[in-house]
Amino acid sequence: MKLVSFEHEGVEGVGILEAGETRVSVLQAKDMLDVIGRGQPEEVGSIPAVRTLDVRDIRLKAPLARPQRNIFCVGKNYREHAREFARSGYEAGAVAGAEIDEYPAVFTKPWTSVIATGEQVDLHPDVTSAVDYEGELGVVIGREGSHISKESAFQHVWGYTIINDVTARDRQKNHKQWFLGKALDTFCPMGPWLVTADEVEATNLTLETYVNGELRQNANTRDLIFDIPTLIATLSSGMRLMPGDIISTGTPAGVGIGMKPPRFLASGDIVEIRITGLGALTNTFV
């Protein structure tokens, strides 16, 4: 089931994208967090539908446009990307031969960075000259828990979406940590919708990123260094995960800093990220 957050005639809503993706069945719910809070995806069918709308008459918003907490993000979670990052000169403290971390590297992005598919990403030329893309699979938690085991981790997943972990590489390098390079306004495009976990084989998804139509990233989630159960177990160790929490699982090789010379985004560039069964997240950088 595909669920969308949207705006129609100045009013925000949430609904089910019907087969054919031409109409939305509007749910009697406040927002996506309200829907997730009702229980597991199978509970969505018990939420009354109030009407249907043509998708041409709505404006898509990020599935969780204002999450309750920062988005949890994972760095260097594909081997080839870890190596290209270390070789790029943009990773502070990079050590040859130690590109692959023993434990997941985790940082966060604030909700103020979240935008929807079709919206514009601000290049922030006043603070950075090295903006890069990172296509990633986003995992949305549905059932709260702490000290979640790897074996039960998928029971806590409500659904999946696409995330572009946009990064200011110079700020990432200069400040010797990742938050300031990741947290700028508009630097977390998300969407186009949220797909329930029962429809997604998360361990075997193809991720592709295109810049102005050129294929840059092409990988599969089976290549994650730290898989989804490991990430959920790690994050929930001593910290309770809550319904609506979002985990961005890391990006594969093919980002701008991996090229010789690096190719950063410029005004007018269009980045499209596709993941099997999750649609396409498309944004213009300005």
Side-chain angles (χ1 to χ4, degrees):
M1 177 183 328
K2 298 181 178 73
L3 288 98
V4 296
S5 296
F6 64 88
E7 181 178 308
H8 173 69
E9 296 181 349
V11 178
E12 296 183 4
V14 61
I16 299 171
L17 188 64
E18 297 179 355
E21 300 179 359
T22 60
R23 299 191 66 78
V24 171
S25 180
V26 182
L27 298 176
Q28 188 174 312
K30 179 182 178 182
D31 53 23
M32 192 71 75
L33 190 59
D34 181 20
V35 172
I36 295 171
R38 308 280 185 101
Q40 291 300 92
E42 54 267 24
E43 301 297 326
V44 175
S46 65
I47 303 175
V50 294
R51 60 173 169 164
T52 60
L53 294 172
D54 192 302
V55 294
R56 294 173 295 184
D57 297 329
I58 66 173
R59 181 173 69 87
L60 286 177
K61 299 178 67 66
L64 286 154
R66 189 172 291 196
Q68 293 187 112
R69 300 201 287 188
N70 281 15
I71 295 93
F72 301 112
C73 303
V74 182
K76 302 195 300 180
N77 204 18
Y78 289 81
R79 284 178 173 79
E80 288 307 312
H81 172 63
R83 295 186 180 103
E84 74 175 350
F85 187 31
R87 292 191 300 262
S88 70
Y90 283 86
E91 181 183 9
V95 178
E99 298 89 355
I100 310 302
D101 292 336
E102 185 177 359
Y103 300 99
V106 180
F107 57 94
T108 70
K109 297 173 85 85
W111 70 262
T112 48
S113 65
V114 176
I115 61 171
T117 189
E119 295 187 324
Q120 295 180 333
V121 180
D122 185 350
L123 285 167
H124 295 281
D126 54 330
V127 296
T128 178
S129 59
V131 176
D132 208 350
Y133 54 87
E134 292 193 0
E136 307 195 3
L137 171 67
V139 179
V140 178
I141 297 297
R143 180 181 297 167
E144 75 172 85
S146 62
H147 299 286
I148 300 167
S149 69
K150 293 181 184 179
E151 293 71 25
S152 63
F154 279 118
Q155 298 174 24
H156 293 260
V157 176
W158 205 92
Y160 300 90
T161 190
I162 305 173
I163 289 175
N164 188 347
D165 177 20
V166 182
T167 306
R169 297 297 185 189
D170 43 7
R171 286 167 66 88
Q172 183 180 35
K173 177 183 178 181
N174 295 341
H175 292 277
K176 298 181 173 60
Q177 46 80 25
W178 295 356
F179 181 77
L180 289 177
K182 304 277 193 173
L184 299 179
D185 292 350
T186 73
F187 268 30
C188 189
M190 181 192 302
W193 37 69
L194 175 61
V195 182
T196 53
D198 59 302
E199 293 191 1
V200 180
E201 186 183 352
T203 57
N204 184 26
L205 298 175
T206 298
L207 184 156
E208 298 174 324
T209 300
Y210 296 81
V211 178
N212 301 325
E214 177 190 0
L215 179 62
R216 297 279 187 88
Q217 294 181 292
N218 186 4
N220 191 286
T221 54
R222 62 173 171 261
D223 298 325
L224 287 169
I225 298 171
F226 305 105
D227 61 16
I228 292 168
T230 299
L231 297 178
I232 290 174
T234 300
L235 284 166
S236 68
S237 296
M239 179 180 67
R240 184 169 295 274
L241 292 179
M242 303 296 294
D245 281 346
I246 305 163
I247 303 170
S248 198
T249 56
T251 201
V255 296
I257 54 168
M259 301 180 181
K260 302 297 182 184
R263 294 170 65 181
F264 297 117
L265 296 170
S267 187
D269 283 346
I270 299 172
V271 177
E272 179 183 64
I273 302 165
R274 304 174 188 169
I275 297 181
T276 310
L278 304 185
L281 173 66
T282 306
N283 299 90
T284 301
F285 287 66
V286 298

